Amino acid sequence: MWRRTYLLLLLVRFYFAISPSYIHPDENFQGPEVIAGTLFSFPHHLTWEFTSEHPVRSVFPLWPVYGFPMVVLRWVWTETGKEEVAPKVIYYTLRVLMFILSFVLEDWAIHELIPSLRHRRLAGVLVASSYVTWTYQIHTFSNSIETLVVAWSLVMIQRIMENKQRSSLLSSALLGAIIMFGIFNRITFPAFVFFPCLYLVPHFLRKPLSLVVFALATLLTTLLAEPRFLLPAIPLLLTSMHLPKSRLRTRYFLATWMVFNTVLALLMGIFHQGGVVPAQIWLGEQRNMSVGEVFWWRTYSPPVWLLDGNRLRVTDLMGIDIQSMISRLEIGIGTGCGGSGVGLVAPRSSTGLDAWTDGAGDGALVFEELWTYRRHVGLDDLDWGGEGVWQTLSRVVGRRGLTVWKVGRRCDGADEDARIGTNISRPRTAAEQRVDGDGGVRDEG
């Protein structure tokens, strides 16, 4: 029974691995964006962590995790006679790779760390059914790699401790390399392995050769390199859990566990900023959209490398107020009425845009809807205090989606001010909204 359950949960994990949710910009800008921009001719953006005079992050751990798969993929691609690999292919390849690493290394480490067969099966199912495993662990976070490194550090420590008759030179060497890789990957890594490593002190005192090998491996690795922060602790916590002895309490626990993880997995694994990656991929495939700049508003920063050589300028407006956003669009379009216009990517839940995008306004800007992705929800758009719980959920969930608009300047005779470049776009007044029966429009600016 537990094998069928585990295999079913494995399929669920794979489904979420190929779902394009976007949990946090770090999963892109601290990993794939850096390497993809180096290996391919994609446009890319390097954050301050890598470009400051004294970088706080090293690219060393990124090369074996992301660089090597990209190099292999590029070689396979060119051997088949095709052109440069599309960013979409690289993106999903890395997601599948993270699924494989999670499935093989994380689950294998749990098997190694837990000697009891019954407890091992329970721990394996709990980890495999956790929304953290379905979402965070299969995204390209440095925290996801840190989880695997912590788990295998503990495996190596356990192997060294259990081998009382030998010096465990191989395990000591592997542990030294793993620890240094973990330190360069994330500065939080030592906090997870410091106390477990203290158990090795008596072993190294008895067998100093193991200590020498451990130190050499650590040195060699050093010469080669330069609330998700607790992700490595999740599988360790789940492996220490036991089911309640009462059958009724066990049922309640399992029911609560399934509902909790299903809800959060759907939210974080499918809908959370789920339109950002598909929108950027779609924009990269458009060669005749006749816009030179695309503004992103009220979304996470989009991965620039997914534009696939399309030299669109990407401007992240973050969460500025709506009037400031409209002003930026006006500046981008210019004062003439025959220009190419600009693009705007924004969530449909931003009801303040309705006054412009429904086509009934009389402002200087015209919005043409080009593309929409419905499986997008932005948690940063919640307004519990101003709207209340029900209205907020109705807006954010009921109007879920991310839309790409082409924005141009109105050039018909009805807009005299626009033709001379002096009119500033505005939403309709309250009276105009009532006339149109649209009094529920909320200006988020």
Side-chain angles (χ1 to χ4, degrees), residues 107-171:
D107 296 8
W108 183 8
I110 293 172
H111 188 275
E112 289 266 348
L113 291 170
I114 303 177
S116 169
L117 177 61
R118 183 178 180 181
H119 190 193
R120 185 191 307 154
R121 289 177 176 176
L122 172 62
V125 171
L126 286 176
V127 172
S129 62
S130 169
Y131 91 94
V132 175
T133 303
W134 294 344
T135 56
Y136 289 88
Q137 191 58 42
I138 53 179
H139 283 232
T140 51
F141 284 117
S142 59
N143 311 83
S144 305
I145 302 302
E146 183 183 31
T147 301
L148 303 178
V149 177
V150 168
W152 277 93
S153 296
L154 298 180
V155 170
M156 292 298 111
I157 291 173
Q158 180 171 282
R159 288 183 180 180
I160 293 171
M161 296 297 297
E162 290 178 347
N163 195 347
K164 307 246 183 228
Q165 303 301 321
R166 299 183 181 179
S167 297
S168 303
L169 299 182
L170 178 59
S171 296

